[in-house]
Amino acid sequence: MDITEKVEQFLSKYDLLSKNNTIIVAFSGGYDSLCLLDIVKKLSLKHEFHPVAAHLNHNWRGEESKQDELNCKNFAIDNNIEFYCETLSSEVKQNETAAREARYDFFKRCADQFKSKCILTAHNADDNAETVLYRIIKGTGVKGLEGIKEKREIFYRPLLHVYRNDIEEYCSVNNLKPNIDSSNEDTKYKR
């Protein structure tokens, strides 16, 4: 089964393929979220739902962050996908915990604004393995060994059973050009 079929099967499992439904994709422009948004766009044509690309500019890397935002916006425009973006205030602490909280607040505002009951994030199988390993090293209980849940509240993770190398291959085959930066911004939409 290819990635598109896996995502379609996942969305069907959670009854998210309803006609006129709005599906928000957390979109950093990195490999994982670019792959997911491209697949969601294709599925939206088949199932007649409304995709929205939601980009949060963390404002940590100056011009490079602005360029990433522009790349995301241009991809959305070129693919007839509604694009929504906000930029974090410079007052938000520049650490992963503060960024994660700000991201989830942003996505919840997006869900309210677009009257959507689902936000897709691009966590993949490699992320899940890393999370479990990290929790083992830190000393976790049985619950921590479960890894990343495929659904939590309004957040769904349709790539959780897809490996990163398959995602990169999908991007290559489909001529998708992800945002790449040395601090690995793509992970900002995953945790």
Side-chain angles (χ1 to χ4, degrees):
M1 181 181 315
D2 73 9
I3 299 176
T4 301
E5 291 170 328
K6 286 181 181 181
V7 172
E8 185 173 26
Q9 188 176 67
F10 179 94
L11 297 177
S12 179
K13 172 183 174 179
Y14 287 103
D15 197 29
L16 299 175
L17 294 175
S18 305
K19 185 175 182 178
N20 299 322
N21 186 27
T22 297
I23 295 179
I24 298 171
V25 176
F27 185 47
S28 69
Y31 279 102
D32 303 336
S33 66
L34 183 59
C35 170
L36 180 58
L37 184 59
D38 189 67
I39 289 169
V40 165
K41 173 202 63 166
K42 290 173 183 173
L43 292 175
S44 74
L45 300 174
K46 177 179 178 182
H47 296 280
E48 299 181 33
F49 62 82
H50 178 71
V52 175
H55 179 80
L56 182 62
N57 181 337
H58 285 75
N59 200 24
W60 287 3
R61 297 176 291 113
E63 288 303 315
E64 191 176 347
S65 291
K66 290 178 186 175
Q67 186 60 53
D68 285 352
E69 177 184 327
L70 182 60
N71 294 344
C72 289
K73 181 177 182 178
N74 288 338
F75 179 83
I77 290 169
D78 291 346
N79 288 279
N80 199 29
I81 300 168
E82 189 162 356
F83 180 75
Y84 182 76
C85 179
E86 290 181 11
T87 300
L88 280 184
S89 164
S90 58
E91 295 175 11
V92 175
K93 290 183 181 178
Q94 290 192 11
N95 64 57
E96 282 303 316
T97 300
R100 183 180 311 113
E101 290 171 7
R103 264 193 313 282
Y104 280 96
D105 288 344
F106 165 70
F107 293 134
K108 287 176 182 177
R109 284 193 307 278
C110 287
D112 289 342
Q113 179 173 333
F114 291 98
K115 296 174 180 43
S116 176
K117 296 177 183 171
C118 66
I119 297 168
L120 307 184
T121 65
H123 293 81
N124 63 53
D126 295 77
D127 298 320
N128 199 24
E130 289 172 13
T131 298
V132 171
L133 182 60
Y134 174 78
R135 290 177 180 171
I136 289 170
I137 291 168
K138 291 296 240 181
T140 187
V142 174
K143 188 170 175 95
L145 294 175
E146 293 175 353
I148 301 169
K149 294 185 183 301
E150 66 179 33
K151 178 191 183 300
R152 182 176 56 85
E153 299 173 7
I154 61 172
F155 298 95
Y156 297 82
R157 298 169 180 94
L159 296 180
L160 204 53
H161 302 290
V162 177
Y163 289 95
R164 177 63 183 254
N165 61 336
D166 295 325
I167 290 168
E168 290 178 8
E169 181 180 336
Y170 177 93
C171 289
S172 177
V173 167
N174 289 280
N175 200 29
L176 302 175
K177 306 292 185 218
N179 288 334
I180 299 174
D181 86 85
S182 58
S183 65
N184 195 12
E185 179 151 306
D186 195 42
T187 62
K188 291 181 183 168
Y189 284 91
K190 296 181 181 175
R191 307 266 191 293

